[in-house]
């Protein structure tokens, strides 16, 4: 989707990341966190090879964003280690050029768990756009429990990612942040209408979502255009530097 000289591959905390440089930079950094199973390796990234997600990246670059595409582990499930890696990554990347210190976040699925953790930790985030976000491990737990075979593998992945060794600590981690959705920066959650409606989202909406969170239900035909919508969303929050 882009020329070789516009990419810079590097490793931080024993995981690979790639910077995508736009032709006309606007001075803002955009960190992109993929869903479970998406990978970034040495000169290889799932998103660069995917027809729709590479289109999203093209839109971000067209709008001038310097993009950091990262995945600390294909199945990190919002682990503390993954969050520490991203903190270190942001520190490294912000020193690679002259960028505004408040970054944008774009995440899909599991990647939203990383985004939420960065927001909870007070990182300087300007705005966030999450696609089909997993809003909590508890929500994912309830969904996976219905499918015994897949649940066993998912539980194993979560326990490995969070370095857990028994069911009690697993349950504690799953329930830890159930009611702790940060909302101090503008966020947009884009859900595809062909997926089941999240019970957790319904619960949050019944309580009343804060005005900083916008929820969009989009038809599958609009999925390829999500990158364009996200880029225009980010631009709304760049008037105050």
């Amino acid at each position: 989707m882009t020329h070789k000289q516009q990419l810079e591959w590097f490793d931080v905390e024993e995981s690979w990341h790639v910077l995508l440089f736009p032709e006309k930079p606007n001075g803002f950094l955009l960190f992109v966190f993929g869903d479970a199973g998406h990978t970034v390796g040495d000169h290889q990234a799932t998103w660069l090879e995917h027809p729709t997600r590479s289109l999203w990246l093209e839109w971000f670059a067209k709008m001038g964003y310097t993009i950091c595409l990262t995945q600390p582990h294909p199945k990190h499930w919002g682990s503390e280690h993954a969050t520490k890696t991203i903190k270190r990554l942001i520190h490294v990347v912000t020193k690679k050029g002259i960028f505004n210190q408040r970054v944008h976040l774009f995440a899909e699925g599991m990647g939203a768990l990383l985004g939420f953790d960065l927001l909870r930790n007070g990182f300087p985030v300007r705005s966030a756009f999450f696609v089909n976000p997993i809003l909590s491990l508890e929500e994912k737990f309830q969904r996976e429990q219905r499918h015994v075979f897949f649940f066993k593998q998912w539980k194993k992945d979560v326990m490995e990612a969070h370095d857990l060794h028994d069911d009690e600590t697993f349950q504690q981690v799953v329930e830890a942040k159930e009611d702790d959705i940060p909302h101090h920066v503008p966020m947009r959650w884009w859900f595809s209408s062909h997926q089941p409606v999240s019970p957790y989202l319904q619960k949050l909406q019944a309580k009343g979502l804060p005005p900083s969170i916008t929820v969009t239900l989009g038809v599958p035909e609009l999925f390829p255009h999500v990158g364009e919508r996200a880029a225009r969303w980010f631009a709304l929050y760049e008037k105050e530097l």
Side-chain angles (χ1 to χ4, degrees):
M1 54 78 61
T2 184
H3 299 296
K4 187 174 180 180
Q5 64 268 25
Q6 292 177 292
L7 305 178
E8 179 184 337
W9 304 83
F10 60 102
D11 66 295
V12 173
E13 300 289 332
E14 300 181 347
S15 61
W16 281 94
H17 318 274
V18 58
L19 275 175
L20 293 79
F21 295 98
E23 188 175 340
K24 297 179 180 179
N26 63 10
F28 291 100
L29 275 170
L30 170 60
F31 285 83
V32 176
F33 310 138
D35 198 1
H38 295 169
T39 60
V40 178
D42 183 1
H43 292 78
Q44 175 277 329
T46 304
W47 279 45
L48 294 177
E49 300 160 5
H50 189 277
T52 297
R53 292 171 181 87
S54 63
L55 185 64
W56 296 351
L57 296 176
E58 285 181 11
W59 261 104
F60 299 150
K62 182 179 179 180
M63 296 289 281
Y65 294 101
T66 300
I67 309 156
C68 184
L69 181 58
T70 178
Q71 184 75 305
H73 189 280
K75 298 177 181 178
H76 58 74
W77 294 109
S79 68
E80 184 178 345
H81 175 72
T83 301
K84 285 182 178 179
T85 298
I86 298 302
K87 288 180 183 178
R88 173 65 180 152
L89 173 67
I90 292 175
H91 178 75
V92 170
V93 171
T94 52
K95 294 186 180 299
K96 286 182 174 286
I98 301 174
F99 304 112
N100 188 281
Q101 293 304 298
R102 293 168 61 203
V103 305
H104 294 290
L105 302 180
F106 182 92
E108 182 181 6
M110 178 190 72
L113 296 173
L114 273 182
F116 289 138
D117 265 355
L118 287 176
L119 291 169
R120 290 186 192 100
N121 281 275
F123 258 69
V125 175
R126 182 173 290 274
S127 73
F129 193 109
F130 297 158
V131 181
N132 294 321
I134 293 173
L135 302 176
S136 74
L137 274 180
E138 172 69 18
E139 175 194 28
K140 182 67 173 174
F141 171 79
Q142 296 296 339
R143 194 185 309 165
E144 293 295 327
Q145 246 188 338
R146 305 187 197 116
H147 312 284
V148 177
F149 176 78
F150 295 107
F151 175 72
K152 288 181 179 179
Q153 183 59 53
W154 179 78
K155 181 178 177 181
K156 179 182 176 183
D157 292 340
V158 171
M159 292 186 75
E160 288 180 358
H162 289 263
D163 195 24
L164 308 175
H165 305 285
D166 57 70
D167 287 344
E168 183 178 352
T169 52
F170 168 77
Q171 201 64 38
Q172 289 172 354
V173 166
V174 165
E175 297 173 356
K177 300 165 185 173
E178 167 69 1
D179 294 314
D180 185 20
I181 294 287
H183 51 80
H184 58 282
V185 302
M187 269 192 292
R188 186 170 178 182
W189 301 343
W190 192 97
F191 290 93
S192 180
S193 61
H194 79 284
Q195 294 194 352
V197 177
S198 160
Y200 185 51
L201 174 62
Q202 290 177 319
K203 186 173 79 170
L204 291 174
Q205 289 177 317
K207 288 181 179 178
L209 284 171
S212 59
I213 298 176
T214 301
V215 176
T216 301
L217 193 64
V219 295
E221 290 78 11
L222 290 178
F223 195 65
H225 302 283
V226 163
E228 177 184 358
R229 282 160 171 73
R232 298 194 187 285
W233 168 267
F234 297 142
L236 295 174
Y237 303 99
E238 294 170 358
K239 294 174 184 177
E240 292 185 13
L241 299 179

